[in-house]
Amino acid sequence: MFWTIIVIIFSGFLSILLYRTYVVFTPDKAIFQPCSSSIDNHSLQFDQHRLQTFQKLLQFQTISYGRNKQNLIEIKKCRDFIKAHYDDLIKKYSKFVELHDIAEYSLLYSIQGKNSNLKPFLFSAHMDVVPAGNINRWKYPPFDAHSDEEFIYARGTLDDKGNLFTMMEALKEYLNVYGQPLRTFYIALTHDEEVGKSGAMGIAHYLSQQPFGHNGQFEFILDEGTIILEEAFPTLKNPIAIIGVAEKGSINIEYRIDVAPGHSSMPSASTAIGILARAVDKLESTLQPSQFGRGPELSLFHGVTPYLKFPLRLVMSNIWLFGPVIQLVLSRKPGTDAMQRTSTAVTSISGGEKENILPTSASATVNHRIHTADSCRKILENNRRIINDDRLVSHIKSCSEPSPISPYGKHIYPYRILEQTIRQTFENDHHHPIIVVPGLMVGGTDSRSYTNLSKNLYRFSPFVYHHNDLNRLHGDNERIRHSDMQRGLNFYFHLILNNQLVNISETKLNSEL
């Protein structure tokens, strides 16, 4: 009798696991037909003319070194080039297309739709770039925009001139093919995303005075962000497109200690540098608490689960049971660990004046990228408990709270359109279809400035990254594939096109609508 009960319980337990594995979690389906691969009105080509224009855009050294320290001469040249290159849009479609100069160097294109009752949307990209670093480590000079058969090498290809160029070319193509759209939309091109937000804030202020802007009713906002990853999971051959539905926050904390001076021949038991070093060691060796399941990372795993092979699919389908194991696996790599917790990085340290004088003070700055389930106040309190030394005084140098988590899922119109447009553009392997999931953006974008316009803020760049591409962003030998540029053109074109729908029918639609 006892063993019968055990067998029944075990069978029931196993049935629950298998039911969740093969019934609850099933692959999603595409509702738009894939883009045509032929040269027609609905499939844009990254041809030689577009390549040369993109190279010219990349050759402007629009470097942002720091706050109030930018190469404004080059930024102005870049801005003027964009205005001149797309001036025909203003002239040809002057009845419904306008260009606004914002914060002197940023640009805002306004495309008024026929139906004023439809909520508008906003695309955003930026023209400034980070410094190239040691140019001797680059395969080609970072502002030559060298192109070979597969790649274009230049600072800004991935961040963020690739997005800027493909969305502007898509706008041009859409207007030439369809003319005035039904739905109003805007394209924002900012000049200081890397070091400030005056461009984005100026654009947000202007749009707040437009219809639907004053009460935060824009349909959605799309900014640069998370990307398409290949070989992201063990046993998984499908590419994964991650739509950033939230951004981590950021806090910079300075820890400082001041003590009495002394001679190095008669050192005290604990010097200022020693006390600070022990505190820094504690912060680095003690992880902030895991917030797994309290942010969009849980939905990311749920979206990937149906495509995994057994037994990994069994584990991921039953996170309620295997959650602690998954947290442990994630914590083994910095990239995956950052998904589930607030990260800690000691970024600067100073102390001491002379070789034979005991330091009277020492300080260190710690940067945390804050998970959406945490806050600046919570991290400051966690650090106080970890350090456990009242001799150190903390000072918050800057703090930006995590963004709200934007709505996502099949029932959210703008998210569904974005998700399905990604499938439409990148669905080129029926055996390994692209997986589209929500995720967390670990960096900061201009989208933070647009929270007054909409609750639907999404961050996505339509480019495919391999593992060896991840360090190129803000690193050496930044580059982008010709094929990515072509798919980027078609992604933005079809995203504009698909957003002319008032609602979505869960049946297959023709890509030409």
Side-chain angles (χ1 to χ4, degrees), residues 362-467:
S363 65
T365 298
V366 182
N367 173 263
H368 296 281
R369 295 302 174 104
I370 307 172
H371 190 276
T372 53
D374 282 326
S375 66
C376 293
R377 181 192 60 79
K378 187 184 293 186
I379 297 305
L380 193 64
E381 180 60 25
N382 287 348
N383 285 0
R384 187 189 66 79
R385 287 196 298 267
I386 292 170
I387 294 172
N388 193 27
D389 191 337
D390 293 335
R391 292 174 293 181
L392 283 123
V393 178
S394 62
H395 168 65
I396 299 177
K397 300 174 71 174
S398 63
C399 172
S400 177
E401 297 286 359
S403 74
I405 299 176
S406 296
Y408 60 89
K410 294 182 180 180
H411 60 291
I412 304 297
Y413 168 87
Y415 182 86
R416 187 65 167 161
I417 287 286
L418 177 57
E419 173 198 51
Q420 290 296 321
T421 303
I422 294 170
R423 294 183 188 280
Q424 180 184 21
T425 310
F426 294 90
E427 198 77 84
N428 55 7
D429 185 345
H430 296 291
H431 297 291
H432 302 106
I434 191 167
I435 304 169
V436 186
V437 292
L440 180 62
M441 178 75 179
V442 297
T445 67
D446 275 334
S447 66
R448 286 183 174 276
S449 299
Y450 304 136
T451 53
N452 64 314
L453 301 176
S454 178
K455 64 180 180 180
N456 303 319
L457 286 94
Y458 304 113
R459 306 144 187 94
F460 178 72
S461 296
F463 307 128
V464 178
Y465 279 49
H466 301 273
H467 285 294

Side-chain angles (χ1 to χ4, degrees), residues 73-232:
I73 295 175
E74 287 290 297
I75 288 175
K76 183 179 182 298
K77 289 179 181 179
C78 182
R79 179 205 64 185
D80 292 345
F81 172 77
I82 294 170
K83 292 174 70 172
H85 186 72
Y86 296 103
D87 184 58
D88 58 328
L89 299 183
I90 309 300
K91 294 178 179 178
K92 188 175 180 181
Y93 306 107
S94 60
K95 291 183 178 180
F96 58 91
V97 178
E98 295 180 351
L99 173 60
H100 307 277
D101 291 290
I102 307 289
E104 190 172 354
Y105 299 101
S106 292
L107 302 173
L108 178 66
Y109 287 85
S110 169
I111 302 91
Q112 294 300 312
K114 297 176 183 178
N115 189 341
S116 61
N117 293 320
L118 295 178
K119 296 178 181 179
F121 62 89
L122 168 69
F123 292 163
S124 185
H126 62 92
M127 63 186 81
D128 65 320
V129 302
V130 297
N134 185 350
I135 61 174
N136 293 323
R137 293 197 298 261
W138 284 69
K139 185 175 181 180
Y140 304 102
F143 292 101
D144 277 10
H146 176 85
S147 173
D148 59 24
E149 293 183 357
E150 186 176 7
F151 298 102
I152 305 135
Y153 291 82
R155 174 60 86 225
T157 48
L158 297 172
D159 185 18
D160 183 37
K161 291 177 179 178
N163 274 313
L164 186 156
F165 179 75
T166 51
M167 66 176 60
M168 287 302 298
E169 287 294 297
L171 167 64
K172 183 177 181 178
E173 181 79 2
Y174 178 87
L175 295 179
N176 287 340
V177 173
Y178 291 101
Q180 186 176 11
L182 287 176
R183 187 188 300 271
T184 295
F185 65 97
Y186 302 88
I187 295 183
L189 309 178
T190 65
H191 73 279
D192 61 346
E193 188 275 344
E194 298 290 357
V195 294
K197 295 290 184 286
S198 67
M201 288 189 293
I203 288 167
H205 175 72
Y206 174 85
L207 292 177
S208 70
Q209 299 173 327
Q210 306 307 307
F212 296 101
H214 65 281
N215 56 357
Q217 291 298 307
F218 268 50
E219 189 66 76
F220 74 95
I221 291 162
L222 179 65
D223 200 357
E224 62 168 329
T226 42
I227 39 79
I228 300 171
L229 284 171
E230 292 191 337
E231 302 175 354

